[in-house]
């Protein structure tokens, strides 16, 4: 994958429509995969094509996938629960089903599962990956998760190194070989390597562009400004704003002016509100006229 494009914003503003429009535009330059990470899917609807978790070619050079997010989370927690079960074999009372349902409801699990799913698609052989994200908060947390995980992994690695040092000192006292090849440290370092790779792509403005989608109305604009601040704090490459469903009236004009002020320094694209919701490739090509690849 050469480049990734993320679309974030409040539910209903037009993330899926703008993401699909950009994907059709990109498909003239190379092989594109568009995925939806929003549990409230409508990518298949917008593309007028039935989608599944496996990428499907919907037009020349344009592939799309719509993973079942509940299923992704369930499989993710099942894998963790099984891992725990292996490591705590002696705990006969450990109930796997119960463990899975507790994990499913644990904070951060949805973000981790979504990140793992995203990485799976990032590794696939496409030139461009377009991501139609879950509504705001969760999308920003998914994208900043690699950085947070790296901080955690560093602390864990240091902690483990201390333990290994003590083990080595004890071994030395008993006249045994001094250097220990620690399996836990090995796993932690491997995880760190993988996470660094992902973090590098997500944070690099040369490989990733984030578009905030909003409407020229009070709440979506305020939400957009909030996302911009969150992305800034997480050092994520925010590149453009899509003002969708624009109409030429006084209120929209006023909000549009506010948007230009609040988002000075990034590209602002404006898509009109069409008489009927844009669906299918021809109409998406038309929407794509209003936005650019940044
Ligand atoms: N520019 C537009 N003009 C008219 N309808 C639009 C436009 N953009 C999106 N819509 C419609 O608005 C609804 C929400 O858009 P969607 O792209 O699904 O938003 P999101 O993915 O952010 O929830 C959909 O029914 C969509 O077809
Ligand atoms: Mg959507």
């Amino acid at each position: 994958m050469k480049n990734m494009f993320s679309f974030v914003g409040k539910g209903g503003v037009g993330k899926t429509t703008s993401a699909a429009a950009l994907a059709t535009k990109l498909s003239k330059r190379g092989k594109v995969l568009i995925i939806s990470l929003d549990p409230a899917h409508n990518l298949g609807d917008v593309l007028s094509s039935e989608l599944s978790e496996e990428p499907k070619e919907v037009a020349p050079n344009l592939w799309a996938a719509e993973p079942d997010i509940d299923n992704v989370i369930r499989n993710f927690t099942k894998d963790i629960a099984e891992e725990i079960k292996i490591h705590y074999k002696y705990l006969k009372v450990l109930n796997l089903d119960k463990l899975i349902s507790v994990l499913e409801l644990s904070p951060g699990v949805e973000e981790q599962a979504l990140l793992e799913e995203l990485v799976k698609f990032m590794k696939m052989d496409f030139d461009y990956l377009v991501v139609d994200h879950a509504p705001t908060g969760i999308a920003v947390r998914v994208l900043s998760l690699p950085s947070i995980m790296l901080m955690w992994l560093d602390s864990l690695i240091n902690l483990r190194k201390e333990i290994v040092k003590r083990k080595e000192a004890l071994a030395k006292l008993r006249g045994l070989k001094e250097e220990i090849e620690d399996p836990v440290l090995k796993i932690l370092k491997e995880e760190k390597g993988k996470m660094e790779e992902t973090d590098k792509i997500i944070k690099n403005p040369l490989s990733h562009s984030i578009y905030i989608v909003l409407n020229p109305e009070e709440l979506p604009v305020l939400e957009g400004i909030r996302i911009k601040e969150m992305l800034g704090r997480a050092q994520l490459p925010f590149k453009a704003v899509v003002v969708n469903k624009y109409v030429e009236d006084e209120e929209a004009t006023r909000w549009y002016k506010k948007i230009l002020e609040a988002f000075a320094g990034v590209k602002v694209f404006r898509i009109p509100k069409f008489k009927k919701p844009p669906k299918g490739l021809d109409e998406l090509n038309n929407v794509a006229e209003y936005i650019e690849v940044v």
Side-chain angles (χ1 to χ4, degrees):
M1 186 198 72
K2 282 196 290 219
N3 291 96
M4 180 159 111
F5 300 85
S6 282
F7 285 77
V8 299
K10 226 167 118 59
V13 290
K15 290 183 295 296
T16 307
T17 306
S18 347
L22 191 84
T24 58
K25 193 160 209 156
L26 285 165
S27 69
K28 275 126 203 154
R29 302 185 180 184
K31 201 174 160 199
V32 184
L33 171 63
I34 177 166
I35 59 164
S36 159
L37 291 183
D38 190 347
H41 284 314
N42 64 337
L43 181 59
D45 199 27
V46 167
L47 288 170
S48 297
S49 179
E50 199 158 312
L51 304 177
S52 74
E53 59 180 330
E54 290 301 324
K56 168 186 167 185
E57 191 165 15
V58 294
N61 263 342
L62 179 59
W63 298 65
E66 207 171 54
D68 175 343
I69 302 301
D70 287 339
N71 216 13
V72 167
I73 295 169
R74 210 167 308 119
N75 286 336
F76 178 80
T77 46
K78 214 171 95 199
D79 289 349
I80 294 181
E82 264 156 19
E83 188 99 350
I84 292 176
K85 184 109 180 164
I86 291 169
H87 290 292
Y88 295 90
K89 275 200 282 287
Y90 52 88
L91 283 181
K92 295 255 169 6
V93 289
L94 205 63
N95 177 326
L96 202 59
D97 290 334
K98 206 164 163 193
L99 192 59
I100 291 173
S101 42
V102 169
L103 282 171
E104 252 175 22
L105 297 172
S106 299
V109 163
E110 187 174 2
E111 287 85 347
Q112 281 189 54
L114 286 173
L115 178 66
E116 198 163 276
E117 191 69 5
L118 174 62
V119 170
K120 184 183 100 184
F121 289 110
M122 281 166 75
K123 284 192 186 140
M124 290 183 181
D125 189 22
F126 288 92
D127 298 315
Y128 306 108
L129 175 65
V130 178
V131 189
D132 170 20
H133 279 275
T136 310
I138 204 162
V140 179
R141 285 198 300 274
V142 168
L143 293 173
S144 34
L145 191 56
S147 289
I148 294 164
M149 295 278 278
L150 279 171
M151 284 192 264
W152 268 94
L153 282 165
D154 274 333
S155 304
L156 286 174
I157 286 171
N158 285 336
L159 202 65
R160 190 68 200 176
K161 275 184 178 159
E162 283 301 314
I163 295 172
V164 172
K165 232 195 310 192
R166 278 175 207 181
K167 274 190 174 173
E168 281 174 352
L170 274 178
K172 203 172 165 187
L173 278 177
R174 288 155 64 197
L176 300 170
K177 120 174 153 65
E178 292 156 38
E179 288 224 342
I180 297 175
E181 243 230 81
D182 184 54
V184 176
L185 203 51
K186 196 169 156 238
I187 294 171
L188 288 173
K189 283 182 177 167
E190 277 168 11
E191 277 304 312
K192 185 181 169 183
K194 279 192 255 170
M195 217 32 95
E196 273 173 342
E197 230 176 277
T198 307
D199 194 47
K200 235 169 41 201
I201 298 173
I202 289 180
K203 279 233 189 94
N204 188 347
L206 295 175
S207 50
H208 186 200
S209 301
I210 302 176
Y211 290 64
I212 295 178
V213 186
L214 43 79
N215 303 138
E217 295 162 24
E218 181 167 11
L219 289 180
V221 172
L222 293 180
E223 171 108 350
I225 293 172
R226 214 166 56 85
I227 308 175
K228 178 190 140 187
E229 282 160 5
M230 282 160 75
L231 293 173
R233 278 197 297 275
Q235 295 173 297
L236 289 162
F238 163 47
K239 300 264 191 73
V241 176
V242 178
V243 184
N244 188 33
K245 302 189 192 178
Y246 183 78
V247 284
E248 295 282 347
D249 68 13
E250 204 183 307
E251 205 206 335
T253 317
R254 195 159 48 82
W255 282 112
Y256 184 65
K257 255 173 84 185
K258 282 228 165 71
I259 293 165
L260 289 179
E261 278 165 28
F263 294 96
V266 297
K267 286 257 180 193
V268 178
F269 303 116
R270 200 166 74 180
I271 303 176
K273 181 170 185 164
F274 299 101
K275 284 207 184 67
K276 65 180 190 53
K279 283 197 173 71
L281 293 162
D282 285 344
E283 290 175 30
L284 288 171
N285 270 317
N286 178 33
V287 177
E289 294 288 316
Y290 297 90
I291 52 178
E292 283 166 31
V293 179
V294 292

